[in-house]
Amino acid sequence: MFWKRKISAINLLKIMSCMMIGFTARSIIDFILPESSTCHPCPVCPTCDQQNPLNPKTSMMDEFKPKTRYEVLRWAYFTERHLFENLDDDPRIGLIGNFKFDVQDIISQAMEIINRESTIQYSFKRLANGYRRVDALLGVEYILDLEIKKSEKARREPRRVSLIRPFTRVQSQPVKWGEESQTVNFVVALSRVTSRVKAFMQRYEEVCLKTNEDASLFVVLFTGTTPEEVYEVEEVKNLLVSYQEQYPDAIITFIETKGTFSRAVGLDLGIRQFSEDSLVFLCDVDVGFDDTFLDRCRKNTIYKQQAYFPIVFSLYDPALIYQDSEKIPETPSQDITKHNGFWVHYGFGMACLYNQDYQTVGGFDTSTYGWGGEDVDLYDKFIKSDIKVFRAVDPSLIHHYHNRSCDPDLNADQYRMCVGALADSIGSKSQLAKKMIGLKKD
């Protein structure tokens, strides 16, 4: 057998070197044994086989060749402090988390390779340029323009390094998902939105009531102080009662609370009406959904382990979307396109979570009144807890456009967030520009 043969010190060093750089056992045997050897060939390692496109030695030769301009794999540019890429509409973000660790690690590995291939030991001084892109079949590719020095007194030398962090074979890993038989308990806080409640209830009827979906609806109503507010609350109550009477097997519940409207207070009050092991969906009255979302809400929320914070698609003002048309359609398009809306990556108001997990992280800050801030606070609490956060866009959650205003009495942060959200939700840059040009002509 192989290990019983006499191996010289030189060949032993060759074996160790080959193992370190990832040659296959077959390559080692062919390298030091004569053809007459009776040693049985070792199986070829699929991740090291020279014919395998995942092999780092052949990765650059097998580089993806785009056929159209839409297939080009763009490089992201980075420095030691920033990543320049259009992430969440931000052209530059600070290097944090995994991005930062990735850059630090690849620079460190680049220096190891440089020093391993040189008789002189260089030290890293500065990253002049960094490029990074992901090829889904090969791995993560890097181009680094480094400034390095032989010694403290020596001049800096530029060095360009091209590296790839190859993907290995696809591997299965343990996966967990939520209980698919769980009831999804909608919790909504309302104040003076009668017309929008009617639209929400029509959507809820289609998705949940007519199909006997395993769901319930719990509404917290802020009664208001003026006669107009009291009247609107009564209208909402009558609407909810009418649906309950029409669907006697459905669970539609509401409670009233006094005081100034606070989404945090309302949702907190609603959540606390459920048992600890209840699955709760914190919902806004302007958000549309379907049965596929309810399925994802159940699967992506795991009791005592994970909460689901989906990213919602928000529709623009139909008046701007259809400004070149003769009239606005009765049912505006809800297709997910850049002309119809945008992903609200900064919003965390929609969430699927278990009551006990909500209580464990500390729940909403009920001192928050008015618009905004309460969702960010709750999201941060989950991030800092032992409960994992599942964050992804959800193509079934559509926020319908409605006129809004920002209360000047809000605190500075809330007012800033409100104005920013208002500006984003009106229309795309091109639609707004077209509208302004048209106004100037008039």
Side-chain angles (χ1 to χ4, degrees):
M1 296 300 291
F2 172 67
W3 297 111
K4 292 182 180 180
R5 295 177 57 86
K6 292 183 179 180
I7 303 175
S8 68
I10 294 177
N11 278 338
L12 183 59
L13 287 173
K14 290 178 179 178
I15 292 174
M16 296 175 66
S17 299
C18 289
M19 289 180 174
M20 290 178 65
I21 61 175
F23 282 2
T24 64
R26 177 194 291 270
S27 301
I28 299 171
I29 294 170
D30 291 344
F31 183 67
I32 66 171
L33 295 181
E35 293 183 0
S36 60
S37 170
T38 57
C39 176
H40 297 289
C42 297
V44 176
C45 171
T47 58
C48 299
D49 181 27
Q50 298 299 307
Q51 300 304 317
N52 192 307
L54 297 182
N55 190 322
K57 294 189 67 176
T58 61
S59 62
M60 299 310 293
M61 292 185 291
D62 296 334
E63 188 174 343
F64 173 72
K65 176 66 176 176
K67 297 179 181 179
T68 70
R69 63 179 182 270
Y70 302 107
E71 297 179 356
V72 173
L73 301 178
R74 295 183 300 177
W75 292 89
Y77 180 87
F78 63 88
T79 65
E80 293 175 73
R81 296 182 58 189
H82 296 100
L83 174 66
F84 297 79
E85 179 68 296
N86 191 27
L87 295 175
D88 294 341
D89 296 327
D90 197 336
R92 187 188 75 173
I93 62 172
L95 282 182
I96 58 175
N98 281 344
F99 280 129
K100 182 177 181 179
F101 297 143
D102 180 51
V103 170
Q104 291 175 338
D105 178 67
I106 204 66
I107 291 175
S108 175
Q109 292 201 49
M111 290 306 303
E112 288 182 11
I113 293 172
I114 290 173
N115 286 323
R116 188 164 61 239
E117 296 175 349
S118 173
T119 57
I120 302 173
Q121 294 300 293
Y122 289 90
S123 61
F124 169 76
K125 290 303 175 184
R126 189 174 78 91
L127 174 66
N129 302 294
Y131 299 91
R132 177 184 184 273
R133 73 177 181 182
V134 178
D135 186 319
L137 297 179
L138 299 179
V140 186
E141 296 179 271
Y142 305 84
I143 295 176
L144 306 178
D145 289 332
L146 306 174
E147 291 184 4
I148 58 179
K149 292 180 69 173
K150 298 177 183 178
S151 65
E152 287 300 321
K153 295 183 179 180
R155 295 181 61 183
R156 294 187 179 188
E157 299 179 21
R159 182 73 63 89
R160 169 161 282 205
V161 181
S162 178
L163 304 171
I164 184 170
R165 197 189 298 275
F167 294 140
T168 61
R169 297 178 64 192
V170 175
Q171 300 178 9
S172 176
Q173 60 181 1
V175 61
K176 296 181 180 180
W177 61 88
E179 295 289 337
E180 297 182 73
S181 60
Q182 277 283 357
T183 301
V184 178
N185 300 288
F186 286 66
V187 178
V188 182
L190 296 177
S191 174
R192 300 189 63 185
V193 286
T194 309
S195 60
R196 286 148 56 192
V197 174
K198 291 178 180 177
F200 172 81
M201 288 306 301
Q202 290 173 357
R203 294 191 292 268
Y204 187 82
E205 180 183 26
E206 291 296 322
V207 177
C208 299
L209 300 181
K210 289 183 177 181
T211 61
N212 292 316
E213 181 68 54
D214 192 3
S216 77
L217 174 62
F218 193 95
V219 179
V220 179
L221 294 169
F222 285 80
T223 56
T225 55
T226 68
E228 181 184 359
E229 291 173 343
V230 172
Y231 175 77
E232 288 191 356
V233 169
E234 287 300 318
E235 275 198 311
V236 172
K237 287 162 60 177
N238 293 334
L239 179 67
L240 296 175
V241 169
S242 68
Y243 275 100
Q244 180 66 81
E245 291 175 347
Q246 187 177 353
Y247 298 94
D249 294 333
I251 302 175
I252 301 176
T253 313
F254 64 86
I255 60 173
E256 297 178 68
T257 183
K258 297 180 180 180
T260 305
F261 176 77
S262 165
R263 186 173 184 269
V265 171
L267 293 180
D268 181 76
L269 182 58
I271 294 171
R272 293 181 185 278
Q273 309 305 311
F274 293 92
S275 62
E276 290 187 344
D277 59 351
S278 293
L279 173 60
V280 175
F281 170 43
L282 307 181
C283 184
D284 277 352
V285 71
D286 302 301
V287 171
F289 51 89
D290 61 20
D291 59 327
T292 64
F293 162 72
L294 297 179
D295 180 60
R296 288 188 287 272
C297 180
R298 296 183 181 103
K299 288 181 177 178
N300 295 338
T301 313
I302 306 173
Y303 186 46
K304 295 184 179 181
Q305 296 184 50
Q306 182 170 284
Y308 180 38
F309 282 82
I311 300 173
V312 178
F313 187 77
S314 183
L315 296 174
Y316 291 137
D317 183 353
L320 281 177
I321 296 176
Y322 298 98
Q323 60 183 301
D324 294 330
S325 303
E326 293 183 1
K327 65 176 183 178
I328 300 174
E330 292 185 8
T331 306
S333 171
Q334 296 183 28
D335 289 344
I336 297 178
T337 71
K338 64 181 180 180
H339 304 292
N340 288 342
F342 68 106
W343 293 111
V344 191
H345 56 82
Y346 51 76
F348 310 96
M350 307 304 108
C352 293
L353 44 85
Y354 280 91
N355 189 2
Q356 179 167 327
D357 298 337
Y358 170 82
Q359 307 295 343
T360 298
V361 303
F364 281 114
D365 177 3
T366 53
S367 66
T368 303
Y369 284 88
W371 189 96
E374 81 290 332
D375 57 336
V376 179
D377 177 73
L378 181 65
Y379 185 70
D380 285 342
K381 287 177 179 176
F382 270 96
I383 292 292
K384 295 173 183 177
S385 74
D386 293 330
I387 307 296
K388 292 182 179 180
V389 166
F390 193 98
R391 179 75 166 161
V393 297
D394 196 304
S396 297
L397 285 184
I398 307 294
H399 181 272
H400 295 262
Y401 179 83
H402 61 87
N403 292 323
R404 66 174 76 177
S405 60
C406 297
D407 187 348
D409 292 333
L410 292 171
N411 68 47
D413 286 339
Q414 286 181 305
Y415 189 77
R416 175 183 53 79
M417 288 190 290
C418 182
V419 171
L422 176 61
D424 287 339
S425 65
I426 295 175
S428 67
K429 294 176 182 177
S430 60
Q431 291 165 349
L432 291 169
K434 187 180 295 185
K435 184 68 173 178
M436 289 190 66
I437 292 172
L439 291 173
K440 287 182 178 180
K441 286 183 178 180
D442 295 338

